[in-house]
Amino acid sequence: MKKTFFTALLLSLGGVVFSQSSDELQLKAIYQSALTKGQGYQWLDHLSNQIGHRLSGSDNAEKAVQYTKAQLETLGLDRVFLQEVMVPKWVRGAKETAYIKDGKNKIEVPICALGGSIATPKKGLLAPVIEVHSIKELESLGTALKGKIVFYNRPMDAEQIETFKAYGHCVDQRSSGAREAAKYGAVGTIVRSMNLRLDDFPHTGNQSYGDLPQAQWIPTAAISTNGADLLSKKLKENPQLQFYFKQSCEQMADVLSYNVVGELKGSETPENIMVVGGHLDSWDLADGSHDDGAGVVQSMEALRILKQLNFKPKNTIRVVLFMNEENGNRGGKKYAELAQTNKENHVFALESDSGGFSPRGFSFECNDEEFAKISSWKGLFEPYLIHSFVKGHSGTDIGPLASKHIVKAGLKPDSQRYFDYHHAANDTFDAINKRELELGTATMASLLYLMDQKGL
């Protein structure tokens, strides 16, 4: 360990002298820097309030690329560069409208088109509705779905403490519901928003028609949880009611965009690369402060802190701001492709894409031996209330990386409020708590330090 990096610290209490290890001192310095000299909150303010939503292929996405590149260039890193990546360009168009038609009564409800959906006819789509609670249920209805709007109304499971599990158990109705309903002759689909809270915000998200012939594609939209409950109630009262919705979204030709990369070169084994990152794109209903502006600035800030503390990593550390996680994962795939082409050896990757809430720990993709070693560091994190080290999904953007001995990790913040904002119009800067954001940054920087110094 370099003597210039640490200073000895002795704490005297009651006549007994305690010494802190160099690792404890370094984590303390990281947390102090994040909480008292942080820059990430200001970066996020600009991304959210000066640029706004950053849907792939949009002008705002390009502004975000240029802004984050310029900010990384101020940090004194060894290299800052862009990686070209072709991304889809889907345009929402005019604000969507919808209503429940119950006899002569029309009750407006909040909806939003799902990413990648086609438009309705110009005058909108009006049809009878059939409520289902799973894709499997479509099979039992068969030809009864022809000419109908399928209403998927399976809620997130409130009994799940880990809300990402609740999300995973019902997101298939959003991602593939339109494709499956179209096979039975349905003319459209409406999907209950992926949200545990009852409110009036519809939550968008990506959907795919897969290999379904384009002539069979049908429009699909999300309805708010309050709207879904109302529609379900009205259907029980009158199964013959109709639903109307109108949307004007359009899929354009792919456009050129970029991953943004900054690098601290390793002092001992620079050929070994460690990545920390989040995705720069966001959905278009809001500025995406939690998803994933928070992860972007936390990743940038992690490198800024290590640089500011004069830390000299053994391995090369890169911050990567991936483009197009939301509707294609093109940035993550391109980064992995270039890594393979350039014969780069990635030994560790860390992603933040679960919001800017208070950090609780990490989920790891690694073998048992590696997990045991990483778990032995838990005591270093306990003073900062970080306690959850589990095996599990790391992140979508780093998923394609496939170096032989790579360990992957995902930051795990408290997840209870995340889906109140996820992909909705309320995912704005005012939903971010500065201190929680900074604690997440420090937790990430601390893991980067330990992985670099202790290795696997």
Side-chain angles (χ1 to χ4, degrees):
M1 201 64 62
K2 296 177 175 59
K3 293 181 181 179
T4 57
F5 186 50
F6 297 112
T7 59
L9 179 65
L10 296 177
L11 297 177
S12 180
L13 182 63
V16 180
V17 177
F18 298 96
S19 65
Q20 287 187 301
S21 71
S22 59
D23 293 332
E24 290 173 310
L25 285 169
Q26 178 56 11
L27 264 63
K28 182 177 181 180
I30 288 171
Y31 275 87
Q32 284 180 334
S33 180
L35 294 171
T36 64
K37 302 174 184 177
Q39 184 64 40
Y41 190 71
Q42 288 74 28
W43 284 332
L44 185 57
D45 187 0
H46 186 95
L47 274 177
S48 299
N49 295 320
Q50 300 303 313
I51 296 177
H53 78 75
R54 303 172 298 280
L55 188 60
S56 292
S58 67
D59 290 342
N60 282 1
E62 175 61 20
K63 290 177 183 177
V65 166
Q66 297 305 324
Y67 172 71
T68 51
K69 177 176 181 286
Q71 294 305 305
L72 288 175
E73 287 172 339
T74 68
L75 303 185
L77 304 179
D78 295 304
R79 189 164 62 131
V80 177
F81 59 99
L82 301 179
Q83 293 181 331
E84 293 186 354
V85 53
M86 296 300 294
V87 299
K89 182 175 182 177
W90 178 82
V91 179
R92 183 173 300 279
K95 183 175 174 59
E96 305 88 341
T97 57
Y99 59 77
I100 300 166
K101 188 174 187 299
D102 188 0
K104 294 182 179 180
N105 295 324
K106 295 180 181 179
I107 308 170
E108 292 187 2
V109 289
I111 68 158
C112 65
L114 293 177
S117 175
I118 63 170
T120 59
K122 289 185 178 180
K123 292 184 178 180
L125 175 64
L126 178 67
V129 186
I130 291 183
E131 179 178 349
V132 300
H133 298 90
S134 69
I135 290 175
K136 185 176 178 62
E137 193 176 339
L138 299 178
E139 300 175 15
S140 63
L141 294 169
T143 56
L145 298 172
K146 189 173 183 179
K148 306 293 197 309
I149 292 173
V150 172
F151 167 40
Y152 289 100
N153 191 31
R154 183 166 83 256
M156 290 178 66
D157 183 2
E159 293 184 12
Q160 293 284 348
I161 302 303
E162 174 50 75
T163 61
F164 281 89
K165 291 182 180 178
Y167 175 73
H169 291 165
C170 64
V171 73
D172 64 325
Q173 59 192 339
R174 187 197 77 200
S175 60
S176 56
R179 177 177 73 238
E180 298 305 316
K183 295 175 182 178
Y184 296 93
V187 294
T189 60
I190 296 294
V191 183
R192 184 187 184 93
S193 287
M194 306 291 112
N195 182 10
L196 283 157
R197 185 171 68 177
L198 291 174
D199 61 26
D200 294 314
F201 291 103
H203 293 230
T204 192
N206 204 39
Q207 69 86 39
S208 172
Y209 296 111
D211 57 3
L212 194 70
Q214 191 168 351
Q216 292 182 248
W217 292 5
I218 59 177
T220 180
I223 185 171
S224 71
T225 48
N226 277 340
D229 282 355
L230 178 62
L231 178 55
S232 182
K233 177 184 175 183
K234 291 295 181 181
L235 274 170
K236 289 179 176 63
E237 296 171 353
N238 177 15
Q240 306 307 314
L241 64 73
Q242 295 179 302
F243 191 85
Y244 170 88
F245 71 110
K246 181 181 179 182
Q247 57 192 41
S248 54
C249 38
E250 184 178 1
Q251 188 72 48
M252 317 290 280
D254 288 358
V255 300
L256 178 64
S257 191
Y258 305 90
N259 294 328
V260 183
V261 185
E263 183 176 279
L264 277 176
K265 191 172 183 180
S267 59
E268 296 182 16
T269 51
E271 69 278 8
N272 292 340
I273 299 171
M274 301 169 59
V275 163
V276 59
H279 64 86
L280 195 50
D281 62 305
S282 75
W283 282 109
D284 57 325
L285 296 180
D287 52 65
S289 288
H290 276 294
D291 187 20
D292 184 30
V296 164
V297 301
Q298 286 174 327
S299 301
M300 295 168 63
E301 178 77 343
L303 250 66
R304 188 198 69 80
I305 290 171
L306 294 176
K307 177 71 176 177
Q308 184 260 328
L309 293 175
N310 295 316
F311 176 59
K312 307 296 183 187
K314 295 178 180 179
N315 307 291
T316 294
I317 303 180
R318 282 182 187 167
V319 55
V320 183
L321 311 180
F322 298 93
M323 183 58 69
N324 185 233
E325 186 272 348
E326 294 292 7
N327 58 338
N329 195 27
R330 301 271 187 92
K333 292 174 181 176
K334 174 57 72 172
Y335 183 85
E337 175 190 320
L338 290 174
Q340 187 173 31
T341 299
N342 297 328
K343 294 181 169 51
E344 294 176 339
N345 181 39
H346 284 75
V347 296
F348 180 62
L350 169 61
E351 184 167 343
S352 173
D353 186 17
S354 299
F357 301 100
S358 291
R360 296 290 181 255
F362 302 95
S363 56
F364 294 93
E365 294 181 39
C366 59
N367 62 37
D368 291 342
E369 183 180 357
E370 292 162 341
F371 185 68
K373 182 167 186 178
I374 294 167
S375 296
S376 72
W377 307 336
K378 287 177 69 173
L380 293 167
F381 285 95
E382 286 175 358
Y384 308 101
L385 306 181
I386 305 302
H387 58 273
S388 179
F389 283 49
V390 298
K391 281 192 177 186
H393 177 67
S394 58
T396 300
D397 290 302
I398 62 177
L401 274 173
S403 294
K404 188 174 182 181
H405 298 296
I406 190 170
V407 170
K408 302 176 187 178
L411 179 69
K412 282 176 61 67
D414 187 290
S415 70
Q416 302 312 312
R417 290 174 289 152
Y418 181 66
F419 290 98
D420 294 352
Y421 304 100
H422 182 250
H423 297 178
N426 59 343
D427 185 6
T428 51
F429 184 69
D430 60 341
I432 295 288
N433 178 279
K434 179 175 180 289
R435 186 170 177 84
E436 290 182 320
L437 183 76
E438 292 165 346
L439 287 167
T441 297
T443 304
M444 294 166 66
S446 296
L447 183 62
L448 283 172
Y449 157 75
L450 290 167
M451 291 294 295
D452 179 74
Q453 292 297 298
K454 296 181 175 298
L456 292 170

